[in-house]
Each structure stands twice: as structure tokens, then as C-alpha cells.
Amino acid sequence: MLKLEVSYRGIIVGVLVMVALFAFVRLWPVVLLVITAFIFMAALLPYVEWLVRRGVPRTAAVLFLVLVILASIAGLFSLVVPAMIDEFQSIRDNLPEDARRLEEFLDNFGINVELQDRARNVDWAELVSGRVAIDYGQRIFQTTISIITIIVLTVYLLVETPRLSRFFYQFVPAGREPEAKRILESLSRVVGGYIRGQLITSLAISVFTLVILLALGVPNALAFAVLAGFADIIPIVGALIAIIPPAVSAFEESPTQALLVVGLMTAYKQFEDRFLVPRVYGSTLNLPPLIVFLAVLAGAELFGIPGVLLALPAAAVGRVFLDYVMENRLAQSVLATDEVLAPDPAAPGPEPGPEA
């Protein structure tokens, strides 16, 4: 016979946990925005503190940094979007001819495919109109609202960092403040270091892409270089986004140029993954490649594109907490070992006898 007894307190706790999980699942989009805002806050906080130490008011420092970043991103998008529209129009107009050239190129390797007829039968009006256009319009609107929300939350977190810090430490048990501070500093270092390291790798691939595309005479080289920098943010999938568009544009010039673009960009991605990333990030992430791959797959499966973008920071944060748990366990093990091997207290010596 199995007898199960649950106290009223246990029932209340169980119900509260279920309600909290239900609310977490339903409010996950909001939670995702807050997590993203915290990531950007951790990346920008050192620069805000640097300006504050030099006499700039905190609110002014935050607004200055955010406006500079937004202006830079807007300028980059102004380079990419018109060029991508021109490339799309060029592909649409020249698709049958490009398909014929690709057939001839593949035929040299014994590959026989019929692409030209399929290219002629593509209905471009159906691809960019009707329900598809409405869906993309809704996604763009939702993405715009999410971006605005993240910006506002990031500004608020940066401005209110001292007050939020005092609020957080109210819940830290007495005597554990140094430990909590060390964990927060580790989290800030990992997340902020990831963002800053990503900026370095994005800049590196942008410069490399610009150089090789200019050398090969590929049109819209600057726009493709900026696109490669943005695509580098996306793990694994970003390599395809960085390589395919310039390769397609280069193919309109000649198949040889397209092969050179694909070969050089693929070689650079190997160089970045195996040499540049470990040296840029150093011990900031300290994640094995298998963990990175699994984290990206899990993030994509659970949360789509936002999950892919947040997979590495989330894995790095998990690594911080794992290190903290292991350090505490090791410290407790050392203390236990010290107690076991501690010398026995000195035995009392013989009482001194009467003096002769």
C-alpha cells in the first residue's frame, strides 16, 4: 500500500509553481524581449560607466551611446537595402539566361538538369503578392515593435542600473554579497564579451568580403560586405547568408567568379571558426564546438531565429552557473578533506612530578 500525504503548504506551493510555469509559457515573448535587453545592457554598461566616471550625466551617456548605435545601424541598412532590391530585380529579369548559363556550366561536369524552362515558369507576382505579402507585412510590423521595445528596455536598464542593483542586493542573504557580486561580474563579462567579440568578427568578415569582391569586380561589393557582417551574427546558418548572395551576383558576371567567391568565403569561414573566434573570445565563452552546435540547434527548434541568436549567450551563462556550482562543490570537498586529515589534538603530557 502506498500512502501519500501532502500538507496544505505543499499544495499551495505546487499550485503556485504550476501557475508560474503557465504564466512563463504564455509570457515567453515578453521574457525573450527582456532577456535580449539585458544582453545589450551588459554589453553597453562598461561604456556608460566610462562616460559617467568622466562627468557625463548617466541619462545623457545612455542616450548618446544608443543614438550613435542606432544611427550607425540605420546607415548600414541604407547601404544594404537598396542594393538588395537592385539585385532582386536583376535576378528576376535575368533568371532564364542565368539558368541557361548554369545548365551549360554543370554540363561540363556531366550534370544534366533542366533549369531554363523552370526559370521561365516562375510566377513572380504570386511570390510577392497576396497572402505572402500580408504575412511578411505582419512579421515586419511585429519585428519593428519588438525592436522598439528592446531599445526602450535597454535604455531603462542602463539608466536605472544603480537603483536596480540596490534592489537586487536586498534579496541576497547577509554575508553572501561578495559571492553575488562575483556571479554578476562573471555574467556581465561573458555576455558583454560575447557581444564585443561578435562585433570584431563581424567587422573582420565585412572587410574580407569587401576586399575580395572589389578585387573580383562583383557589383554592390560594399552592400554584400555589410550583409556578411550582419549574417555573421547568426551561428552556422549565417555562413550561407554571407556566401550565397554575392555568389549569385558574381555568377551573373561569370561562373568562375562565383566559384572564386564561394571558395574564398568558405575558406575564410573555416579560418574564422578555427583560428579567429577562439582568439577573439578567448576564455569569455569557453564552450566546446559540440556544445555550440547543440545549443544553436536547440535554440532554433524551440524559439526559431531568436533562439538561434540567443543560443550562445544562453549557453555561456549556463557555463557561468556550472562553474559556480563546481567551484562550490570543490571548496566543500576540500574542507571535508581538511577535516578528515586534520591532526588529532595534542595529547596532554604527563603531569610534572614533584621537584626533587
Side-chain angles (χ1 to χ4, degrees):
M1 178 180 294
L2 178 62
K3 185 177 181 181
L4 180 63
E5 295 182 356
V6 182
S7 65
Y8 290 110
R9 182 178 180 181
I11 294 175
I12 294 174
V13 171
V15 171
L16 291 177
V17 170
M18 294 178 62
V19 171
L21 290 175
F22 175 78
F24 180 82
V25 172
R26 295 299 300 268
L27 296 176
W28 171 247
V30 178
V31 175
L32 187 62
L33 296 179
V34 174
I35 293 174
T36 307
F38 268 104
I39 290 175
F40 286 118
M41 183 269 286
L44 295 177
L45 186 59
Y47 305 101
V48 173
E49 298 294 345
W50 184 83
L51 292 174
V52 169
R53 287 194 297 268
R54 279 152 181 78
V56 180
R58 190 173 195 87
T59 302
V62 172
L63 293 178
F64 172 75
L65 284 177
V66 171
L67 290 177
V68 169
I69 293 173
L70 291 178
S72 301
I73 294 175
L76 294 175
F77 269 98
S78 67
L79 293 174
V80 174
V81 174
M84 293 302 101
I85 294 175
D86 292 340
E87 288 296 328
F88 176 78
Q89 293 176 347
S90 176
I91 292 173
R92 183 188 61 184
D93 296 338
N94 302 322
L95 185 61
E97 178 63 21
D98 291 338
R100 182 190 63 79
R101 295 171 59 193
L102 182 58
E103 286 181 4
E104 295 175 353
F105 179 74
L106 294 177
D107 188 61
N108 296 327
F109 299 93
I111 303 175
N112 298 317
V113 290
E114 296 181 359
L115 299 176
Q116 190 172 7
D117 292 337
R118 296 181 182 180
R120 290 196 184 99
N121 295 328
V122 173
D123 190 354
W124 296 99
E126 183 180 353
L127 292 177
V128 295
S129 63
R131 184 62 185 174
V132 176
I134 295 175
D135 291 341
Y136 278 108
Q138 291 177 346
R139 292 181 184 180
I140 292 174
F141 177 76
Q142 293 174 355
T143 303
T144 303
I145 296 299
S146 299
I147 291 174
I148 294 175
T149 304
I150 291 172
I151 294 172
V152 173
L153 287 174
T154 303
V155 171
Y156 173 78
L157 292 173
L158 288 171
V159 172
E160 298 294 333
T161 297
R163 185 178 301 178
L164 292 174
S165 179
R166 291 192 296 268
F167 176 79
F168 170 78
Y169 278 106
Q170 291 178 354
F171 301 96
V172 177
R176 306 294 293 272
E177 291 86 356
E179 195 172 359
K181 182 179 180 181
R182 181 167 59 86
I183 295 176
L184 291 177
E185 289 177 350
S186 297
L187 292 175
S188 177
R189 177 181 59 83
V190 167
V191 177
Y194 168 75
I195 297 295
R196 291 186 288 271
Q198 184 61 67
L199 291 176
I200 295 174
T201 56
S202 293
L203 179 61
I205 192 173
S206 295
V207 173
F208 177 82
T209 304
L210 179 62
V211 170
I212 66 169
L213 294 185
L214 288 176
L216 295 174
V218 179
N220 297 317
L222 182 58
F224 286 126
V226 175
L227 178 64
F230 282 112
D232 193 65
I233 299 173
I234 306 175
I236 300 176
V237 183
L240 298 177
I241 301 175
I243 295 173
I244 293 177
V248 172
S249 180
F251 183 81
E252 296 182 358
E253 303 295 325
S254 73
T256 304
Q257 283 191 0
L259 285 178
L260 287 174
V261 169
V262 172
L264 291 174
M265 291 291 293
T266 303
Y268 176 83
K269 288 300 296 182
Q270 293 297 316
F271 165 78
E272 178 183 279
D273 295 339
R274 300 176 183 276
F275 181 83
L276 185 60
V277 167
R279 284 159 178 77
V280 169
Y281 291 109
S283 59
T284 301
L285 295 183
N286 196 19
L287 295 173
L290 179 60
I291 299 299
V292 172
F293 182 72
L294 294 178
V296 172
L297 290 182
E301 182 67 23
L302 294 174
F303 311 115
I305 294 178
V308 173
L309 296 177
L310 298 178
L312 291 186
V317 169
R319 177 63 183 258
V320 170
F321 284 105
L322 179 62
D323 290 342
Y324 169 73
V325 172
M326 297 302 295
E327 288 176 3
N328 281 353
R329 180 174 298 180
L330 180 61
Q332 293 175 1
S333 175
V334 170
L335 290 176
T337 304
D338 289 343
E339 291 176 359
V340 172
L341 300 180
D344 294 333
E351 294 182 3
E355 294 182 0

